[in-house]
mmCIF file with all atom_site columns, all heavy atoms in Angstrom:
data_model
loop_
_atom_site.group_PDB
_atom_site.id
_atom_site.type_symbol
_atom_site.label_atom_id
_atom_site.label_alt_id
_atom_site.label_comp_id
_atom_site.label_asym_id
_atom_site.label_entity_id
_atom_site.label_seq_id
_atom_site.pdbx_PDB_ins_code
_atom_site.Cartn_x
_atom_site.Cartn_y
_atom_site.Cartn_z
_atom_site.occupancy
_atom_site.B_iso_or_equiv
_atom_site.pdbx_formal_charge
_atom_site.auth_seq_id
_atom_site.auth_comp_id
_atom_site.auth_asym_id
_atom_site.auth_atom_id
_atom_site.pdbx_PDB_model_num
ATOM 1   N N   . GLY F 1 57 ? 107.727 -83.807  12.339 1.00 92.00 ? 57 GLY F N   1
ATOM 2   C CA  . GLY F 1 57 ? 107.565 -85.068  13.001 1.00 92.00 ? 57 GLY F CA  1
ATOM 3   C C   . GLY F 1 57 ? 106.419 -86.020  12.478 1.00 92.00 ? 57 GLY F C   1
ATOM 4   O O   . GLY F 1 57 ? 106.542 -87.039  12.327 1.00 92.00 ? 57 GLY F O   1
ATOM 5   N N   . MET F 1 58 ? 105.273 -85.206  12.062 1.00 92.00 ? 58 MET F N   1
ATOM 6   C CA  . MET F 1 58 ? 104.232 -85.926  11.513 1.00 92.00 ? 58 MET F CA  1
ATOM 7   C C   . MET F 1 58 ? 104.581 -86.539  10.134 1.00 92.00 ? 58 MET F C   1
ATOM 8   O O   . MET F 1 58 ? 104.261 -87.704  9.772  1.00 92.00 ? 58 MET F O   1
ATOM 9   C CB  . MET F 1 58 ? 102.996 -85.005  11.282 1.00 92.00 ? 58 MET F CB  1
ATOM 10  C CG  . MET F 1 58 ? 102.314 -84.690  12.654 1.00 92.00 ? 58 MET F CG  1
ATOM 11  S SD  . MET F 1 58 ? 100.920 -83.410  12.186 1.00 92.00 ? 58 MET F SD  1
ATOM 12  C CE  . MET F 1 58 ? 100.397 -83.243  13.927 1.00 92.00 ? 58 MET F CE  1
ATOM 13  N N   . LYS F 1 59 ? 105.444 -85.829  9.421  1.00 88.00 ? 59 LYS F N   1
ATOM 14  C CA  . LYS F 1 59 ? 105.898 -86.393  8.086  1.00 88.00 ? 59 LYS F CA  1
ATOM 15  C C   . LYS F 1 59 ? 106.750 -87.619  8.240  1.00 88.00 ? 59 LYS F C   1
ATOM 16  O O   . LYS F 1 59 ? 106.845 -88.529  7.553  1.00 88.00 ? 59 LYS F O   1
ATOM 17  C CB  . LYS F 1 59 ? 106.495 -85.262  7.185  1.00 88.00 ? 59 LYS F CB  1
ATOM 18  C CG  . LYS F 1 59 ? 105.522 -84.247  6.784  1.00 88.00 ? 59 LYS F CG  1
ATOM 19  C CD  . LYS F 1 59 ? 106.178 -83.275  5.991  1.00 88.00 ? 59 LYS F CD  1
ATOM 20  C CE  . LYS F 1 59 ? 105.077 -82.225  5.417  1.00 88.00 ? 59 LYS F CE  1
ATOM 21  N NZ  . LYS F 1 59 ? 105.627 -81.120  4.556  1.00 88.00 ? 59 LYS F NZ  1
ATOM 22  N N   . TRP F 1 60 ? 107.662 -87.540  9.332  1.00 91.00 ? 60 TRP F N   1
ATOM 23  C CA  . TRP F 1 60 ? 108.489 -88.616  9.654  1.00 91.00 ? 60 TRP F CA  1
ATOM 24  C C   . TRP F 1 60 ? 107.804 -89.779  10.031 1.00 91.00 ? 60 TRP F C   1
ATOM 25  O O   . TRP F 1 60 ? 108.061 -90.965  9.491  1.00 91.00 ? 60 TRP F O   1
ATOM 26  C CB  . TRP F 1 60 ? 109.464 -88.176  10.830 1.00 91.00 ? 60 TRP F CB  1
ATOM 27  C CG  . TRP F 1 60 ? 110.598 -89.232  11.031 1.00 91.00 ? 60 TRP F CG  1
ATOM 28  C CD1 . TRP F 1 60 ? 111.826 -89.229  10.625 1.00 91.00 ? 60 TRP F CD1 1
ATOM 29  C CD2 . TRP F 1 60 ? 110.383 -90.308  11.911 1.00 91.00 ? 60 TRP F CD2 1
ATOM 30  N NE1 . TRP F 1 60 ? 112.451 -90.374  11.107 1.00 91.00 ? 60 TRP F NE1 1
ATOM 31  C CE2 . TRP F 1 60 ? 111.532 -91.089  11.939 1.00 91.00 ? 60 TRP F CE2 1
ATOM 32  C CE3 . TRP F 1 60 ? 109.381 -90.722  12.840 1.00 91.00 ? 60 TRP F CE3 1
ATOM 33  C CZ2 . TRP F 1 60 ? 111.821 -92.194  12.673 1.00 91.00 ? 60 TRP F CZ2 1
ATOM 34  C CZ3 . TRP F 1 60 ? 109.579 -91.940  13.488 1.00 91.00 ? 60 TRP F CZ3 1
ATOM 35  C CH2 . TRP F 1 60 ? 110.732 -92.518  13.479 1.00 91.00 ? 60 TRP F CH2 1
ATOM 36  N N   . ALA F 1 61 ? 106.829 -89.598  10.978 1.00 89.00 ? 61 ALA F N   1
ATOM 37  C CA  . ALA F 1 61 ? 106.031 -90.715  11.345 1.00 89.00 ? 61 ALA F CA  1
ATOM 38  C C   . ALA F 1 61 ? 105.245 -91.312  10.300 1.00 89.00 ? 61 ALA F C   1
ATOM 39  O O   . ALA F 1 61 ? 104.768 -92.533  10.337 1.00 89.00 ? 61 ALA F O   1
ATOM 40  C CB  . ALA F 1 61 ? 105.175 -90.202  12.670 1.00 89.00 ? 61 ALA F CB  1
ATOM 41  N N   . GLU F 1 62 ? 104.865 -90.589  9.282  1.00 82.00 ? 62 GLU F N   1
ATOM 42  C CA  . GLU F 1 62 ? 104.064 -91.159  8.106  1.00 82.00 ? 62 GLU F CA  1
ATOM 43  C C   . GLU F 1 62 ? 104.838 -92.106  7.284  1.00 82.00 ? 62 GLU F C   1
ATOM 44  O O   . GLU F 1 62 ? 104.500 -92.989  6.708  1.00 82.00 ? 62 GLU F O   1
ATOM 45  C CB  . GLU F 1 62 ? 103.560 -89.969  7.386  1.00 82.00 ? 62 GLU F CB  1
ATOM 46  C CG  . GLU F 1 62 ? 102.926 -90.303  6.123  1.00 82.00 ? 62 GLU F CG  1
ATOM 47  C CD  . GLU F 1 62 ? 102.631 -89.114  5.150  1.00 82.00 ? 62 GLU F CD  1
ATOM 48  O OE1 . GLU F 1 62 ? 102.760 -87.994  5.594  1.00 82.00 ? 62 GLU F OE1 1
ATOM 49  O OE2 . GLU F 1 62 ? 102.119 -89.390  4.109  1.00 82.00 ? 62 GLU F OE2 1
ATOM 50  N N   . LYS F 1 63 ? 106.192 -91.741  7.149  1.00 80.00 ? 63 LYS F N   1
ATOM 51  C CA  . LYS F 1 63 ? 107.001 -92.477  6.139  1.00 80.00 ? 63 LYS F CA  1
ATOM 52  C C   . LYS F 1 63 ? 107.853 -93.607  6.747  1.00 80.00 ? 63 LYS F C   1
ATOM 53  O O   . LYS F 1 63 ? 107.945 -94.783  6.065  1.00 80.00 ? 63 LYS F O   1
ATOM 54  C CB  . LYS F 1 63 ? 107.944 -91.517  5.549  1.00 80.00 ? 63 LYS F CB  1
ATOM 55  C CG  . LYS F 1 63 ? 107.218 -90.483  4.508  1.00 80.00 ? 63 LYS F CG  1
ATOM 56  C CD  . LYS F 1 63 ? 108.291 -89.712  3.901  1.00 80.00 ? 63 LYS F CD  1
ATOM 57  C CE  . LYS F 1 63 ? 107.580 -88.689  2.862  1.00 80.00 ? 63 LYS F CE  1
ATOM 58  N NZ  . LYS F 1 63 ? 108.503 -87.845  2.301  1.00 80.00 ? 63 LYS F NZ  1
ATOM 59  N N   . TYR F 1 64 ? 108.501 -93.510  7.917  1.00 86.00 ? 64 TYR F N   1
ATOM 60  C CA  . TYR F 1 64 ? 109.608 -94.378  8.265  1.00 86.00 ? 64 TYR F CA  1
ATOM 61  C C   . TYR F 1 64 ? 109.085 -95.576  9.192  1.00 86.00 ? 64 TYR F C   1
ATOM 62  O O   . TYR F 1 64 ? 109.631 -96.637  8.909  1.00 86.00 ? 64 TYR F O   1
ATOM 63  C CB  . TYR F 1 64 ? 110.777 -93.589  8.884  1.00 86.00 ? 64 TYR F CB  1
ATOM 64  C CG  . TYR F 1 64 ? 111.375 -92.641  7.765  1.00 86.00 ? 64 TYR F CG  1
ATOM 65  C CD1 . TYR F 1 64 ? 111.059 -91.262  7.747  1.00 86.00 ? 64 TYR F CD1 1
ATOM 66  C CD2 . TYR F 1 64 ? 112.169 -93.240  6.855  1.00 86.00 ? 64 TYR F CD2 1
ATOM 67  C CE1 . TYR F 1 64 ? 111.485 -90.436  6.850  1.00 86.00 ? 64 TYR F CE1 1
ATOM 68  C CE2 . TYR F 1 64 ? 112.724 -92.330  5.844  1.00 86.00 ? 64 TYR F CE2 1
ATOM 69  C CZ  . TYR F 1 64 ? 112.385 -90.906  5.927  1.00 86.00 ? 64 TYR F CZ  1
ATOM 70  O OH  . TYR F 1 64 ? 112.869 -90.195  4.962  1.00 86.00 ? 64 TYR F OH  1
ATOM 71  N N   . PRO F 1 65 ? 108.281 -95.463  10.188 1.00 88.00 ? 65 PRO F N   1
ATOM 72  C CA  . PRO F 1 65 ? 107.850 -96.589  10.933 1.00 88.00 ? 65 PRO F CA  1
ATOM 73  C C   . PRO F 1 65 ? 107.248 -97.625  10.121 1.00 88.00 ? 65 PRO F C   1
ATOM 74  O O   . PRO F 1 65 ? 107.499 -98.852  10.364 1.00 88.00 ? 65 PRO F O   1
ATOM 75  C CB  . PRO F 1 65 ? 106.954 -96.093  11.922 1.00 88.00 ? 65 PRO F CB  1
ATOM 76  C CG  . PRO F 1 65 ? 107.324 -94.703  12.057 1.00 88.00 ? 65 PRO F CG  1
ATOM 77  C CD  . PRO F 1 65 ? 107.768 -94.177  10.752 1.00 88.00 ? 65 PRO F CD  1
ATOM 78  N N   . ILE F 1 66 ? 106.584 -97.452  9.111  1.00 82.00 ? 66 ILE F N   1
ATOM 79  C CA  . ILE F 1 66 ? 105.902 -98.426  8.202  1.00 82.00 ? 66 ILE F CA  1
ATOM 80  C C   . ILE F 1 66 ? 106.978 -99.269  7.422  1.00 82.00 ? 66 ILE F C   1
ATOM 81  O O   . ILE F 1 66 ? 106.684 -100.370 7.113  1.00 82.00 ? 66 ILE F O   1
ATOM 82  C CB  . ILE F 1 66 ? 104.968 -97.707  7.155  1.00 82.00 ? 66 ILE F CB  1
ATOM 83  C CG1 . ILE F 1 66 ? 104.058 -98.809  6.522  1.00 82.00 ? 66 ILE F CG1 1
ATOM 84  C CG2 . ILE F 1 66 ? 105.556 -96.973  6.199  1.00 82.00 ? 66 ILE F CG2 1
ATOM 85  C CD1 . ILE F 1 66 ? 103.201 -99.610  7.478  1.00 82.00 ? 66 ILE F CD1 1
ATOM 86  N N   . GLU F 1 67 ? 108.080 -98.661  7.245  1.00 84.00 ? 67 GLU F N   1
ATOM 87  C CA  . GLU F 1 67 ? 109.153 -99.504  6.604  1.00 84.00 ? 67 GLU F CA  1
ATOM 88  C C   . GLU F 1 67 ? 109.579 -100.580 7.437  1.00 84.00 ? 67 GLU F C   1
ATOM 89  O O   . GLU F 1 67 ? 109.826 -101.751 7.061  1.00 84.00 ? 67 GLU F O   1
ATOM 90  C CB  . GLU F 1 67 ? 110.414 -98.581  6.260  1.00 84.00 ? 67 GLU F CB  1
ATOM 91  C CG  . GLU F 1 67 ? 110.077 -97.500  5.228  1.00 84.00 ? 67 GLU F CG  1
ATOM 92  C CD  . GLU F 1 67 ? 111.207 -96.714  4.837  1.00 84.00 ? 67 GLU F CD  1
ATOM 93  O OE1 . GLU F 1 67 ? 112.326 -96.812  5.421  1.00 84.00 ? 67 GLU F OE1 1
ATOM 94  O OE2 . GLU F 1 67 ? 111.086 -95.857  3.915  1.00 84.00 ? 67 GLU F OE2 1
ATOM 95  N N   . ILE F 1 68 ? 109.701 -100.360 8.685  1.00 88.00 ? 68 ILE F N   1
ATOM 96  C CA  . ILE F 1 68 ? 110.079 -101.438 9.689  1.00 88.00 ? 68 ILE F CA  1
ATOM 97  C C   . ILE F 1 68 ? 108.836 -102.341 9.708  1.00 88.00 ? 68 ILE F C   1
ATOM 98  O O   . ILE F 1 68 ? 109.171 -103.562 9.812  1.00 88.00 ? 68 ILE F O   1
ATOM 99  C CB  . ILE F 1 68 ? 110.266 -100.823 11.121 1.00 88.00 ? 68 ILE F CB  1
ATOM 100 C CG1 . ILE F 1 68 ? 111.424 -99.767  11.057 1.00 88.00 ? 68 ILE F CG1 1
ATOM 101 C CG2 . ILE F 1 68 ? 110.638 -101.892 12.105 1.00 88.00 ? 68 ILE F CG2 1
ATOM 102 C CD1 . ILE F 1 68 ? 111.656 -99.049  12.302 1.00 88.00 ? 68 ILE F CD1 1
ATOM 103 N N   . GLY F 1 69 ? 107.677 -101.853 9.804  1.00 84.00 ? 69 GLY F N   1
ATOM 104 C CA  . GLY F 1 69 ? 106.474 -102.723 9.754  1.00 84.00 ? 69 GLY F CA  1
ATOM 105 C C   . GLY F 1 69 ? 106.432 -103.663 8.593  1.00 84.00 ? 69 GLY F C   1
ATOM 106 O O   . GLY F 1 69 ? 106.093 -104.940 8.723  1.00 84.00 ? 69 GLY F O   1
#
Side-chain angles (χ1 to χ4, degrees):
M58 289 175 177
K59 289 181 179 179
W60 184 93
E62 172 189 356
K63 290 184 179 181
Y64 295 101
I66 191 62
E67 295 183 354
I68 301 172

